[in-house]
């Protein structure tokens, strides 16, 4: 037994050396990226980020959550015990028994992993990932024999078999990791939690602040920061690290509206393409779902080679609606949307390559301050008969109503008129900007034109600086997110409220009185991405609908899991073709509830859902439902 124990001790230290070498090889790939701040003390936060933040996402799938706890928990416990008992040459029988117990827990979890891999969901990658349960099973069985079999039995062939099983598992954890095998996610994932590109995700920041895009430094030293990302080496090193943490579970793929519509975007494949670009080579080894319409094996890249069109088709970047469904579902907390916007910035700022009507819209924004090229004074023509004051520099108001680009369209004007009616009924002291309201720049930023965004944001901040108001109210969640969460980085600090929140507040205070509901139609509510997933506001609209006496039949995907309407991120302008239209899919979600009415809370959602051809539920902004229900 003593000779066997010495062999296991040697195997442990060789394996540990292999982990260090494999980790160093992966780290060499991450280091090709741009410099980014390294906060070493965040290593101490890894346990909390792993057991709380990460597992909060994993726990949405109870099967996988329990499987992961058993498999990963048993493996970590067993290996820590091996490190103590054999790494330090203690050879304690009590510790051996503990190793056996931990190995049994690990084996129990692996049985569920194996069962899931027998008939896997389409979103799971295959190939090496199918081999993983067997390789880890060999390690778990070896650990069970190591700790649970008496010494005499391990003196001969049984001992050799045990060492072989342990060596097989150790090979997966060391050589496999160095070569980019599945277990690289164990090291990359833990370091990703420590050096996450968005450390604010783990703090007390508001949801919208955790999703705000990072400003791009403009007008300074051009060598300090590239204008977007055109090659893998232009990503920050910790972004490259985060890509390496991907476990190819495909939850992002299953949540992506563009993928569901058959557009050439699969967020999982996109992240794997970034890994290929970082390490160099082709995507031929990828074994998951491809980008719709884009065959696997034809893409190649390297750290210093252009991403577009070498590894990524330009259409892939422009198909993204920036809805953050992928980010919300990712158990490894990867920031797909940040990567897309970084690459869009390079395409727009350096090449002017935005497709569709996006270039015209961007030119209009720069020249007129409106996306449609309208006269600023025409933005409030819809309110000429509603006694809506324009705010004056010497006038203090409670609410400044910012209406946005939709106010130039007849459909959104109907929603705004309903909102104004409700605000008048609630005795709200409010005013509008009038011909001083320019675009917030949100659409320019999502299209990658950071320069135009910052120009428009600076202009609007200067306008607002000369006015006196308590809070800003808007019916457009994109405006809300931009003003509330992205303007602070440029010096604009405001209290910003969505119109559904304001109306719910007025109803709670008894300042709005509603007639008894006489609408017996079945209703469902569509959560705007930039209100729900971006800013965490899912309850105020529902609370308001319940106050109106309306019954809500929820769509299968609702709240923070809601499906995008297809308008976000400039997708309505770039108009990348697919097999279906995203709003058609969302309207089908509504039909499945039996609803004849869809309540919305965003002008973009209204336009997209009303644009569905054929029989469909009626689409109404919540403000319209409130205005209809007001007592005389």
């Amino acid at each position: 037994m003593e000779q066997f124990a010495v062999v296991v001790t040697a195997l442990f230290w060789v394996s540990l050396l292999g982990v260090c070498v494999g980790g160093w090889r992966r780290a060499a790939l991450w280091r090709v990226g741009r410099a980014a701040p390294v906060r070493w003390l965040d290593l101490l936060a890894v346990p909390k980020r792993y057991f709380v933040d990460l597992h909060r996402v994993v726990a949405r799938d109870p099967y996988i959550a329990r499987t992961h706890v058993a498999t990963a928990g048993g493996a970590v416990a067993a290996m820590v015990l091996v490190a103590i008992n054999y790494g330090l040459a203690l050879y304690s029988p009590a510790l051996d028994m503990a190793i056996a117990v931990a190995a049994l827990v690990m084996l129990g979890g692996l049985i569920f992993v194996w069962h899931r891999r027998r008939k896997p969901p389409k979103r799971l990658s295959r190939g090496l990932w199918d081999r993983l349960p067997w390789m880890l099973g060999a390690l778990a069985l070896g650990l069970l024999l190591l700790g649970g079999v008496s010494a005499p039995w391990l003196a001969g062939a049984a001992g050799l078999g045990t060492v072989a099983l342990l060596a097989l598992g150790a090979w997966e954890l060391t050589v496999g990791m160095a070569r980019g095998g599945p277990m690289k996610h164990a090291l990359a994932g833990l370091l990703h939690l420590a050096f996450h590109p968005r450390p604010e995700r783990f703090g007390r920041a508001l949801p919208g602040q955790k999703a705000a895009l990072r400003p791009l430094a403009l007008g300074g030293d051009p060598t300090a920061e590239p204008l977007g990302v055109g090659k893998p080496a232009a990503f920050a090193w910790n972004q490259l690290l985060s890509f390496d943490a991907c476990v190819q579970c495909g939850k992002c793929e299953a949540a992506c509206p563009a993928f569901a519509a058959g557009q050439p975007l699969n967020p999982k494949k996109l992240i794997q393409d970034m890994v290929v670009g970082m390490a160099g080579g082709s995507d031929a080894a990828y074994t998951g779902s491809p980008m719709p319409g884009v065959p696997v094996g034809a893409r190649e890249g390297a750290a210093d080679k252009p991403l577009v069109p070498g590894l990524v088709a330009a259409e892939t970047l422009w198909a993204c609606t920036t809805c953050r469904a992928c980010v919300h579902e990712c158990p490894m907390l990867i920031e797909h949307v940040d990567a897309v916007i970084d690459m869009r910035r390079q395409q727009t700022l350096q090449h002017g390559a935005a497709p569709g009507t996006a270039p015209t819209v961007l030119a209009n924004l720069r020249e007129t301050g409106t996306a449609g090229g309208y006269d600023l004074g025409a933005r409030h023509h819809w309110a000429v008969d509603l006694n809506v004051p324009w705010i004056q520099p010497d006038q203090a108001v409670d609410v400044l109503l910012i209406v946005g680009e939709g106010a130039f369209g007849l459909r959104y004007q109907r929603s705004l008129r309903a909102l104004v009616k409700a605000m008048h009924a609630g005795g709200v002291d409010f005013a509008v900007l009038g011909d001083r309201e320019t675009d917030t720049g949100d659409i320019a930023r999502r299209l990658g034109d950071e320069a135009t965004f910052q120009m428009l944001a600076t202009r609007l901040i200067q306008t607002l600086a000369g006015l006196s108001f308590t809070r800003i109210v808007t019916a457009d969640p994109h405006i809300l997110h931009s003003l509330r969460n992205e303007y602070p980085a440029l010096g604009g600090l405001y209290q910003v409220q969505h119109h559904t929140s304001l109306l719910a507040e007025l109803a709670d205070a008894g300042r709005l009185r509603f007639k008894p509901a006489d609408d017996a139609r079945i209703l469902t509510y569509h959560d705007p991405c930039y209100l729900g997933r971006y800013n965490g506001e899912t309850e105020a609209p529902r609370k308001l609908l319940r106050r109106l006496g309306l019954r809500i039949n929820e769509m299968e995907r609702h709240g923070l899991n809601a499906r995008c309407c297809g308008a976000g991120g400039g997708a309505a302008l770039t108009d990348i073709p697919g097999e279906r239209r995203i709003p058609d899919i969302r309207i089908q979600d509504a039909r499945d509830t039996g609803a004849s009415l869809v309540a919305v809370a965003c002008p973009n959602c209204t336009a997209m859902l009303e644009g569905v051809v054929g029989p469909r539920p009626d689409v109404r902004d919540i403000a319209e439902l409130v205005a209809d229900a007001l007592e005389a």
Side-chain angles (χ1 to χ4, degrees):
M1 172 61 183
E2 182 177 346
Q3 184 178 8
F4 171 79
V6 170
V7 171
V8 174
T9 297
L11 179 60
F12 167 78
W13 285 108
V14 169
S15 300
L16 184 61
L17 177 62
V19 168
C20 294
V21 172
W24 184 260
R25 288 188 61 179
R26 297 311 297 179
L29 299 177
W30 309 330
R31 290 198 302 272
V32 304
R34 282 189 298 108
V38 179
R39 308 195 316 178
W40 292 105
L41 286 179
D42 281 355
L43 285 168
L44 301 177
V46 167
K48 181 265 178 184
R49 294 178 179 182
Y50 180 82
F51 290 109
V52 178
D53 299 285
L54 184 147
H55 263 278
R56 186 179 291 128
V57 179
V58 175
R60 295 174 193 156
D61 185 340
Y63 182 100
I64 289 300
R66 298 187 188 105
T67 300
H68 188 257
V69 167
T71 306
V76 170
M79 287 187 282
V80 168
L81 291 166
V82 168
I84 296 171
N85 201 30
Y86 289 89
L88 301 179
L90 300 180
Y91 308 137
S92 163
L95 290 176
D96 275 343
M97 187 58 66
I99 291 171
V101 171
L104 274 174
V105 173
M106 181 182 175
L107 270 175
L110 284 168
I111 290 172
F112 288 99
V113 175
W114 169 79
H115 178 71
R116 189 176 183 85
R117 284 278 163 182
R118 289 178 64 199
K119 295 181 179 179
K122 291 183 179 180
R123 60 179 172 80
L124 290 181
S125 290
R126 306 300 298 270
L128 294 178
W129 290 93
D130 283 343
R131 186 188 73 188
L132 190 59
W134 300 101
M135 300 296 284
L136 293 182
L139 176 62
L141 185 57
L143 291 169
L144 180 60
L145 293 173
L146 174 65
V149 177
S150 60
W153 285 92
L154 295 176
L160 289 176
T162 300
V163 170
L165 289 170
L166 292 172
L168 189 61
W171 186 91
E172 183 68 41
L173 295 173
T174 56
V175 178
M177 177 178 65
R179 292 182 175 180
M183 285 310 297
K184 69 181 172 64
H185 85 270
L187 176 65
L190 289 175
L191 293 178
H192 165 56
L193 291 178
F195 306 120
H196 198 284
R198 281 186 178 270
E200 64 271 18
R201 284 191 68 171
F202 306 102
R204 296 181 179 179
L206 295 174
Q209 294 167 350
K210 298 176 182 180
L213 291 175
R214 175 183 59 86
L216 193 63
L218 300 170
D221 181 0
T223 64
E225 185 177 15
L227 294 178
V229 170
K231 56 186 180 181
F235 281 112
W237 74 268
N238 51 1
Q239 285 181 286
L240 297 179
L241 165 62
S242 73
F243 303 151
D244 229 12
C246 175
V247 294
Q248 298 193 44
C249 66
K251 289 188 175 181
C252 58
E253 168 189 312
C256 177
F259 181 80
Q263 294 177 332
L265 170 61
N266 178 344
K268 181 180 75 174
K269 175 64 164 59
L270 180 67
I271 295 302
Q272 291 309 305
D273 286 343
M274 300 303 100
V275 174
V276 168
M278 172 182 70
S282 80
D283 66 342
Y286 175 73
T287 56
S289 303
M291 302 278 189
V294 183
V296 172
R299 301 278 173 182
E300 293 185 352
D304 287 315
K305 289 186 177 180
L307 282 162
V308 179
L311 266 177
V312 180
E315 292 79 7
T316 292
L317 301 181
W318 301 111
C320 178
T321 67
T322 69
C323 70
R324 284 183 70 85
C326 52
V327 180
H328 178 72
E329 290 296 328
C330 180
M332 299 307 291
L333 311 183
I334 297 170
E335 293 283 345
H336 312 67
V337 174
D338 284 359
V340 168
I341 296 298
D342 279 341
M343 289 186 278
R344 281 186 179 184
R345 285 171 168 174
Q346 195 266 349
Q347 289 291 297
T348 300
L349 293 173
Q350 293 196 19
H351 302 298
T357 59
T360 300
V361 168
L362 293 174
N364 286 338
L365 288 171
R366 287 189 291 268
E367 294 167 9
T368 69
T370 73
Y374 300 110
D375 174 29
L376 290 175
R379 191 190 301 271
H380 294 284
H381 283 177
W382 55 271
V384 68
D385 61 333
L386 295 180
N387 191 30
V388 176
W390 289 17
I391 191 170
Q392 302 301 321
D394 57 351
Q395 172 192 12
V397 297
D398 177 28
V399 169
L400 176 63
L401 177 62
I402 292 187
V403 296
E405 288 298 308
F408 291 110
L410 292 175
R411 176 59 185 91
Y412 182 43
Q413 289 175 7
R414 199 166 82 208
S415 301
L416 287 172
R417 289 178 66 86
L419 174 59
V420 166
K421 177 182 177 181
M423 292 173 72
H424 278 316
V428 178
D429 175 27
F430 74 100
V432 296
L433 274 174
D435 58 8
R436 284 170 293 179
E437 181 178 335
T438 49
D439 194 275
T440 61
D442 169 79
I443 191 65
R445 174 167 253 195
R446 266 69 203 171
L447 288 170
D449 192 346
E450 181 72 6
T452 297
F453 164 73
Q454 292 191 21
M455 178 194 75
L456 291 167
T458 301
R459 179 177 175 180
L460 188 54
I461 288 170
Q462 291 172 349
T463 298
L464 297 177
L467 303 173
S468 180
F469 54 88
T470 304
R471 52 184 167 165
I472 292 171
V473 168
T474 180
D476 188 333
H478 298 261
I479 292 176
L480 175 137
H481 177 68
S482 190
L483 292 175
R484 179 192 284 176
N485 302 303
E486 298 189 333
Y487 271 42
L490 301 176
L493 300 173
Y494 315 108
Q495 179 185 343
V496 189
Q497 192 173 16
H498 191 246
H499 76 306
T500 57
S501 175
L502 172 69
L503 295 176
E505 175 187 303
L506 295 174
D508 285 345
R511 293 167 63 181
L512 291 179
R513 299 174 63 85
F514 303 126
K515 296 175 290 189
D518 57 0
D519 193 338
R521 291 185 296 174
I522 298 175
L523 173 144
T524 192
Y525 171 63
H526 165 74
D527 290 90
C529 300
Y530 275 72
L531 184 63
R533 207 156 25 243
Y534 269 77
N535 283 279
E537 182 58 86
T538 59
E539 182 54 29
R542 289 173 170 81
K543 184 177 182 181
L544 197 52
L545 291 170
R546 288 192 294 268
R547 276 196 166 273
L548 295 174
L550 301 172
R551 180 170 61 91
I552 307 172
N553 277 16
E554 296 285 10
M555 288 182 262
E556 181 180 356
R557 286 182 56 174
H558 64 276
L560 299 181
N561 298 312
R563 194 194 304 272
C564 179
C565 74
L573 304 176
T574 57
D575 197 24
I576 302 301
E579 297 171 2
R580 302 175 64 187
R581 295 177 68 249
I582 296 173
D584 292 345
I585 300 174
R586 190 52 172 165
I587 282 292
Q588 186 57 53
D589 291 342
R591 289 194 191 105
D592 291 342
T593 70
S596 58
L597 175 63
V598 180
V600 293
C602 170
N604 300 287
C605 298
T606 304
M608 295 301 287
L609 298 182
E610 283 198 335
V612 172
V613 177
R616 58 162 175 78
D618 189 17
V619 179
R620 302 285 302 280
D621 190 282
I622 291 180
E624 296 173 59
L625 300 176
V626 168
D628 289 346
L630 287 174
E631 286 189 350

